[in-house]
Amino acid sequence: MTKPTLYLFGSAAPPVLDAARVIEEAQADGWDVCLGLTPTAARWLTDSLDALAALTGRPVRWDYRMPGQPDVWPKADAIVVAPATFNTINHWALGITDKWLVGVVAEGVGKGIPMAMMPCVNRAYVAHPQFERSIDTLQGAGVRVLYGDGGFVPNEPGQGNPATYPWRAALDAVADVLDPTSIT
């Protein structure tokens, strides 16, 4: 039996720099992992992209493929979007799909793919009125939002500590897909 496929998607926030460790943890949990990034996160990880592709056995993606090009990834059984920045969260909730990663998760809502999203935002972003509307929209669409107790708790601007980002909560949020009887 093949392993279920997890799309691990990350935005440009400091916890994305732990991508290799999180991929290894997800693989140890039983996932076949594909790594997708926002364009800025891909730039942050430029020096690691080849190693990350070797770790997953698949190319790291951050841009739409050209018409006629084959999809090089298997279909997702689950998607984790973490860290999710203010920009990614709002674009997703509003359906603005100019970035490949947002296009995949926006379509994933309609496909019924199990998804979890964990923000990485500071309290100044949280104070913006669109943030809560976007969180509510994504929750209403069936996305498991890991925000607050049991997920990500915002910090003061400039006071975040990437080492405390609760990656385990993000992986656990889609762990029910690892049960072969739950894969559709």
Side-chain angles (χ1 to χ4, degrees), residues 45-156:
L45 293 169
T46 295
D47 293 340
S48 304
L49 292 176
D50 289 341
L52 291 166
L55 183 60
T56 64
R58 305 193 190 297
V60 178
R61 295 200 52 200
W62 61 86
D63 203 0
Y64 286 102
R65 59 188 163 95
M66 297 301 292
Q69 284 183 327
D71 196 346
V72 295
W73 284 6
K75 290 183 180 180
D77 292 302
I79 301 173
V80 167
V81 183
T85 60
F86 182 76
N87 190 50
T88 296
I89 293 165
N90 290 326
H91 275 205
W92 184 6
L94 294 169
I96 301 169
T97 60
D98 58 331
K99 291 180 180 63
W100 170 81
L101 182 152
V102 177
V104 173
V105 293
E107 188 176 43
V109 168
K111 289 180 173 180
I113 298 170
M115 288 187 277
M117 183 276 292
M118 188 159 52
C120 186
V121 295
N122 65 44
R123 288 190 182 127
Y125 283 121
V126 170
H128 190 286
Q130 185 57 48
F131 183 76
E132 286 299 327
R133 287 193 291 267
S134 292
I135 294 294
D136 291 345
T137 296
L138 293 174
Q139 287 175 324
V143 177
R144 299 170 192 173
V145 176
L146 306 166
Y147 172 63
D149 291 338
F152 180 78
V153 178
N155 48 272
E156 291 300 324

